[in-house]
Amino acid sequence: MITCLFVLPVAPQFIEIPDKVTKVTGNSVASLSCRVFGFPKPTVVWSRGFVPLPQGRSTLTNGTLNISNFSPQDAGPYKCKATNKLGSVSALTTLKYVQPGEY
């Protein structure tokens, strides 16, 4: 008996996207998760319009963007974009700065 397995290409699809608005306490770590499925495996890129991501304080691991020592300058819109050869999808979120001790 011979079994053949075919893997068909699949355009990127979101498994998890961040909330529309995320409140982040000052000096803490902002964590935005953007999980995608697709074949070939999509490339995930986070961007901030024309403003660069915080240098030396931002990391991207498996689609999750972490920004350490969150400050008022880090607040604003962020976009997650996943791309493979079949297309791309994107999701927007906004980070809001909250003073430490405020709720």
Side-chain angles (χ1 to χ4, degrees), residues 33-69:
S33 185
C34 191
R35 294 179 44 222
V36 294
F37 169 79
F39 185 81
K41 184 178 178 180
T43 301
V44 175
V45 175
W46 278 94
S47 62
R48 221 184 138 190
F50 298 108
V51 182
L53 294 175
Q55 292 296 311
R57 295 185 296 115
S58 59
T59 59
L60 178 61
T61 307
N62 295 327
T64 299
L65 174 66
N66 290 304
I67 302 170
S68 59
N69 296 321

Side-chain angles (χ1 to χ4, degrees), residues 85-102:
K85 68 180 184 179
L86 292 169
S88 65
V89 291
S90 59
L92 295 173
T93 185
T94 299
L95 292 182
K96 294 214 181 243
Y97 178 84
V98 177
Q99 290 272 27
E102 273 187 31

